[in-house]
Structure formats: C-alpha cells, structure tokens
Amino acid sequence: MNSSAKNPPQRKARKPLPAILARHNKQTSMITYHGTDRASANNIVGPPSNIDVTKGGGELGRGFYLGENIALAASLSKGKFGAKGVVIKFDIDDSAYVRLNTRTLNRRQYLYLLWQSLITRAQRCQHLFHVDVVCAPFATIDFSYQYKFESNDAQNTLNNNSTKQIL
C-alpha cells in the first residue's frame, strides 16, 4: 500500500490576513455616492444633514438617489454642473439600512419601459414604489447599480445613520 494514501499531505497553515483586509472584512456600512453641485452638497452634508426625498427625480421617480460607482457619480456631476460638480461619499450603517423595506428590480427591459413611461406621462418626479428603498440597475447605463431612497424612514436613515463626505 502506498504510504501517501495512509498519510495525506498536510495543508500549510493559513497566514493571517493583512490588517487592511481584516478591517475591510469588518466593515459595517454600505458605501455609495451622489453627484451634485457644491452648494447642494453643503446643504446635504450639513450640519445638520438635510436630505429631502421629496425633491428630485430620476429613472425610478421621486426620491434621493445614490449609486455604487464613484466614477459614474463624478462623471454625471461634472457633466451637469461643470466645475461646480462634486461627489458626496455616503457611509450608511448596515444595521440601519437592513431595517428598511427594500424592493429590488433586476430586469433592465422593465426598467427601460418604466423610465420611458414616466417621461411620456411627465411623472418622472412623482412615481413612488411605496417602499423605503428601490435597488435597481440603471435603465440606460450597463455597469452600475442605483438606490432610490423614497420614504421618510429612508430619509431619516440617510440623515441620521450615515456619514457623508464631500470629495
């Protein structure tokens, strides 16, 4: 009988993760971005933080929008506001976020048709899903996800359970 069958090779002990990776794995927040102009950013960040989900509208209707891609937020803010465009980094407490009622939409064709319908009916700044947060890909951009905060509970979470930094 082969001696290696009796005594399988021992695995090497795993090395501990570098400190930076260990800290990353303990992250207890959701990082997102919002592109806007400098004056609005100062109002949003505060103090006090002044996010209002009844203002603004995007692909999914009325609400305050955040995205997961800093490059997209920067590009959109500079495209819309030029030199006055800035990005706000949001660090939202995970435990506060998971208490929100969330709806996930993942069919891009549905989103595109909804977006076209809202534009046609002039309801781009009115449509609500009657949840706290809607998570969805963009209807017209392939590489990023968006989060629409539309309720008072969502507004309170952004104002009171997140840190904000103008980049």
Side-chain angles (χ1 to χ4, degrees), residues 30-34 60 63-69 92 97 102-104 132-138 144-150 158:
M30 175 178 158
I31 305 295
T32 54
Y33 304 93
H34 179 78
L60 304 173
F64 186 82
Y65 286 77
L66 296 173
E68 63 183 9
N69 189 300
I92 305 167
Y97 182 82
T102 324
R103 180 169 179 195
T104 301
D132 298 320
V133 183
V134 178
C135 307
F138 284 86
S144 190
Y145 231 67
Q146 61 185 326
Y147 303 89
K148 179 182 90 152
F149 291 75
E150 69 174 38
L158 291 176

Side-chain angles (χ1 to χ4, degrees), residues 18-84:
I20 193 165
L21 290 177
R23 281 196 306 271
H24 176 72
N25 288 339
K26 293 179 182 178
Q27 182 177 338
T28 58
S29 60
M30 175 178 158
I31 305 295
T32 54
Y33 304 93
H34 179 78
T36 190
D37 64 277
R38 173 69 63 181
S40 297
N42 289 332
N43 188 45
I44 289 167
V45 171
S49 181
N50 191 22
I51 294 167
D52 185 349
V53 297
T54 66
K55 296 181 179 177
E59 289 185 344
L60 304 173
R62 187 180 82 193
F64 186 82
Y65 286 77
L66 296 173
E68 63 183 9
N69 189 300
I70 188 172
L72 182 58
S75 175
L76 292 174
S77 70
K78 297 293 182 188
K80 187 172 183 178
F81 302 107
K84 294 180 181 179

Side-chain angles (χ1 to χ4, degrees), residues 1-10:
M1 184 173 248
N2 188 338
S3 65
S4 64
K6 291 180 188 175
N7 301 317
Q10 297 295 317

